[in-house]
Amino acid sequence: MLRRAGVSLLALVLGTGVGATVLTGPAMAGGWAATVIDPAGTIEPGKAHQVSFWVLQHGTHPYNRSDPASIGIVGLMLTDDRGSRVTFTGKELPEPAHFVTTVTVPYAGKWKVTGIQGVFASFHVGALTVPGTLQPLGVPAAPSAQDLQKYWPGKVQPPVMEVDHKREPYAADDSFKPDVIAAQAPANAPAGGNDTGTGGAAANRSDWRMPTLAGGLVVLLLAALAFGGRRWWVRRGVPQT
């Protein structure tokens, strides 16, 4: 009985770990999206800028659910060359899949721009040199003329980006981790918070990972097997060392 229970628990642990790996990228059936940022002017350090962006499922259409809010937290994350991060949570605009946030880059430098996409894996958008403008990378797919007319028949539509099938825009290190950027900022940089955009309370959620849960279950499994084995030997009168 104990052995069967141990095998079942081990299978659960392994299944949890595999599931965590599969769900982190676009390999999950239909589970990927792309973030596209509307053209913006020059971004200056220490100044607030309104930045609008789109989170497109499959790169071509809005989140395919009856309740668009169920997509979860979306936003933009900037990471400098030291690994420090600052995040800005998005707020819904009238158009489907369209969001806006207030971006204040705390100091000049080069920043990697990542789209935080709620239930979808984070998306590497491109690079931002401050002061300067965003240099976006290609996307896995883009809306067709038919898509634009179907989902956004008005004047406000997502920009159609260049398609690039060769790059991998989803990376494990792009998960939502709102760090306090002042802790690692250069000495001459102005202090910055971890979320100077809208929805700061939502952005301060902790980064909880499934692999951590799997590791805990493994420890519990080993402890249970060790305790059960000791009881088995005691019942049979075998001397314990």
Side-chain angles (χ1 to χ4, degrees):
M1 179 66 71
L2 177 62
R3 182 177 181 181
R4 288 199 300 272
V7 171
S8 299
L9 183 56
L10 180 59
L12 173 62
V13 170
L14 292 178
T16 302
V18 172
T21 301
V22 172
L23 294 176
T24 56
M28 184 178 66
W32 66 274
T35 292
V36 178
I37 298 179
D38 288 320
T42 300
I43 303 296
E44 300 285 348
K47 295 183 179 181
H49 300 269
Q50 290 286 317
V51 177
S52 56
F53 60 98
W54 307 76
V55 179
L56 306 178
Q57 187 172 7
H58 301 159
T60 60
H61 61 267
Y63 183 48
N64 188 21
R65 290 292 185 274
S66 57
D67 179 13
S70 64
I71 191 174
I73 297 174
V74 302
L76 300 176
M77 178 169 66
L78 307 183
T79 308
D80 70 3
D81 55 6
R82 292 169 170 248
S84 297
R85 303 179 180 187
V86 58
T87 59
F88 309 92
T89 307
K91 180 180 179 180
E92 288 185 81
L93 288 171
E95 300 78 29
H98 202 194
F99 303 87
V100 66
T101 189
T102 301
V103 173
T104 304
V105 184
Y107 50 86
K110 295 183 178 180
W111 300 83
K112 176 181 178 180
V113 181
T114 300
I116 304 302
Q117 305 188 131
V119 298
F120 301 109
S122 300
F123 182 84
H124 181 194
V125 178
L128 173 65
T129 300
V130 179
T133 58
L134 172 70
Q135 299 298 317
L137 297 172
V139 294
S144 65
Q146 292 76 15
D147 293 326
L148 295 176
Q149 183 60 32
K150 177 179 179 181
Y151 300 110
W152 303 281
K155 294 182 179 180
V156 182
Q157 298 177 332
V160 178
M161 309 298 295
E162 180 181 354
V163 175
D164 183 357
H165 297 297
K166 296 181 180 180
R167 79 179 186 99
E168 172 54 69
Y170 305 92
D173 64 347
D174 282 338
S175 56
F176 191 19
K177 291 182 178 179
D179 302 330
V180 178
I181 199 165
Q184 296 183 6
N188 59 348
N194 68 316
D195 190 340
T196 52
T198 60
N204 286 327
R205 69 186 180 94
S206 61
D207 179 39
W208 186 85
R209 293 178 177 275
M210 287 296 292
T212 301
L213 175 61
L217 290 176
V218 169
V219 173
L220 290 176
L221 171 62
L222 294 176
L225 291 177
F227 179 73
R230 178 179 177 83
R231 292 185 61 186
W232 186 88
W233 286 104
V234 169
R235 286 200 303 270
R236 282 154 179 77
V238 178
Q240 301 296 301
T241 58

